[in-house]
Coordinates of all heavy atoms in Angstrom, one line a residue:
K267 N 110.2 76.9 79.2 CA 109.6 78.3 79.2 C 109.8 78.9 80.5 O 110.0 78.3 81.5 CB 108.1 78.1 78.8 CG 107.8 77.6 77.4 CD 106.3 77.6 77.2 CE 106.0 77.2 75.7 NZ 104.6 77.2 75.5
Q268 N 109.6 80.2 80.6 CA 109.6 81.0 81.8 C 108.4 80.8 82.6 O 107.3 80.5 82.0 CB 109.9 82.5 81.5 CG 111.2 82.8 80.9 CD 111.4 84.3 80.7 OE1 110.4 85.0 80.4 NE2 112.6 84.8 80.8
R269 N 108.5 81.0 83.9 CA 107.3 80.9 84.8 C 106.4 82.1 84.4 O 106.8 83.2 84.3 CB 107.7 80.9 86.2 CG 106.6 80.6 87.2 CD 107.1 80.5 88.6 NE 108.0 79.3 88.7 CZ 108.5 78.9 89.9 NH1 108.2 79.5 91.0 NH2 109.3 77.9 89.9
E270 N 105.1 81.8 84.3 CA 104.2 82.8 83.9 C 103.0 82.9 84.9 O 102.6 81.8 85.5 CB 103.6 82.6 82.5 CG 102.8 81.3 82.4 CD 102.3 81.1 81.0 OE1 102.4 82.1 80.1 OE2 101.7 80.0 80.7
L271 N 102.5 84.0 85.1 CA 101.3 84.3 86.0 C 100.1 83.7 85.3 O 99.8 84.1 84.2 CB 101.2 85.7 86.4 CG 100.1 86.1 87.3 CD1 100.3 85.5 88.7 CD2 100.0 87.6 87.4
V272 N 99.3 83.0 86.1 CA 98.0 82.4 85.6 C 96.8 83.2 86.1 O 96.0 83.6 85.3 CB 97.9 80.9 86.0 CG1 96.5 80.4 85.5 CG2 99.0 80.1 85.4
A273 N 96.8 83.4 87.4 CA 95.6 84.1 88.0 C 96.0 84.6 89.4 O 96.9 84.0 90.0 CB 94.4 83.2 88.1
T274 N 95.3 85.7 89.8 CA 95.5 86.2 91.2 C 94.2 86.5 91.8 O 93.2 86.7 91.1 CB 96.4 87.5 91.2 OG1 95.7 88.5 90.6 CG2 97.7 87.2 90.5
I275 N 94.2 86.6 93.1 CA 93.0 86.9 93.8 C 93.3 87.6 95.2 O 94.3 87.2 95.8 CB 92.0 85.7 94.1 CG1 90.6 86.2 94.6 CG2 92.6 84.7 95.0 CD1 89.6 85.1 94.5
T276 N 92.6 88.6 95.6 CA 92.9 89.3 96.8 C 91.9 88.8 97.9 O 90.9 88.2 97.5 CB 92.7 90.8 96.7 OG1 91.3 91.1 96.4 CG2 93.5 91.4 95.5
P277 N 92.1 89.0 99.1 CA 91.2 88.6 100.2 C 89.8 89.2 99.9 O 88.8 88.6 100.3 CB 91.8 89.2 101.5 CG 93.3 89.2 101.2 CD 93.4 89.6 99.7
G278 N 89.7 90.4 99.3 CA 88.4 91.0 99.0 C 87.7 90.4 97.8 O 86.6 90.8 97.6
G279 N 88.4 89.5 97.1 CA 87.8 88.9 96.0 C 88.1 89.4 94.6 O 87.6 88.9 93.6
S280 N 88.9 90.4 94.5 CA 89.3 90.9 93.2 C 90.3 89.9 92.5 O 91.3 89.5 93.1 CB 90.0 92.3 93.3 OG 89.1 93.2 93.9
S281 N 90.0 89.6 91.3 CA 90.8 88.5 90.6 C 91.3 89.0 89.2 O 90.7 89.9 88.6 CB 90.0 87.3 90.4 OG 88.8 87.5 89.6
T282 N 92.4 88.4 88.8 CA 92.9 88.7 87.4 C 93.3 87.4 86.8 O 93.5 86.4 87.5 CB 94.2 89.6 87.5 OG1 95.2 88.9 88.1 CG2 93.9 90.9 88.3
Y283 N 93.3 87.3 85.5 CA 93.6 86.1 84.7 C 94.5 86.5 83.5 O 94.4 87.5 82.9 CB 92.4 85.5 84.2 CG 91.4 84.9 85.2 CD1 90.4 85.7 85.7 CD2 91.6 83.7 85.8 CE1 89.5 85.3 86.7 CE2 90.7 83.2 86.8 CZ 89.7 84.0 87.2 OH 88.8 83.6 88.2
A284 N 95.4 85.5 83.2 CA 96.1 85.6 82.0 C 95.2 85.4 80.8 O 94.2 84.7 80.9 CB 97.3 84.6 82.0
D285 N 95.5 86.1 79.7 CA 94.6 85.9 78.6 C 94.4 84.5 78.1 O 93.3 84.1 77.7 CB 95.1 86.8 77.4 CG 95.0 88.3 77.6 OD1 94.2 88.7 78.5 OD2 95.7 89.0 76.9
A286 N 95.5 83.7 78.3 CA 95.4 82.3 77.8 C 94.4 81.4 78.5 O 94.0 80.4 78.0 CB 96.8 81.7 77.8
V287 N 94.0 81.9 79.7 CA 93.1 81.0 80.5 C 91.8 81.7 80.8 O 90.9 81.0 81.4 CB 93.8 80.6 81.9 CG1 95.2 80.0 81.6 CG2 93.9 81.9 82.8
K288 N 91.6 82.9 80.4 CA 90.3 83.5 80.6 C 89.1 82.8 80.0 O 89.2 82.3 78.9 CB 90.3 85.0 80.0 CG 91.1 86.0 80.8 CD 91.0 87.3 80.2 CE 91.8 88.3 81.0 NZ 91.8 89.7 80.4
G289 N 88.1 82.6 80.8 CA 86.9 81.9 80.4 C 87.0 80.4 80.6 O 86.0 79.7 80.5
R290 N 88.2 79.9 81.0 CA 88.4 78.4 81.2 C 88.7 78.1 82.7 O 88.3 77.1 83.2 CB 89.4 77.9 80.3 CG 89.1 78.0 78.8 CD 90.1 77.2 78.0 NE 91.5 77.8 78.1 CZ 92.5 77.1 78.6 NH1 92.3 75.8 79.0 NH2 93.7 77.6 78.7
F291 N 89.5 79.0 83.3 CA 90.0 78.8 84.6 C 89.3 79.8 85.6 O 88.9 80.9 85.2 CB 91.5 79.1 84.8 CG 92.4 78.1 84.1 CD1 91.9 77.1 83.2 CD2 93.8 78.1 84.3 CE1 92.7 76.2 82.6 CE2 94.6 77.2 83.7 CZ 94.1 76.3 82.9

């Protein structure tokens, strides 16, 4: 499979998650 983004976070604390891991990671 291709490399996929799981989660990100900025120094200020803003975060994002892939749908597949939301609520678990």
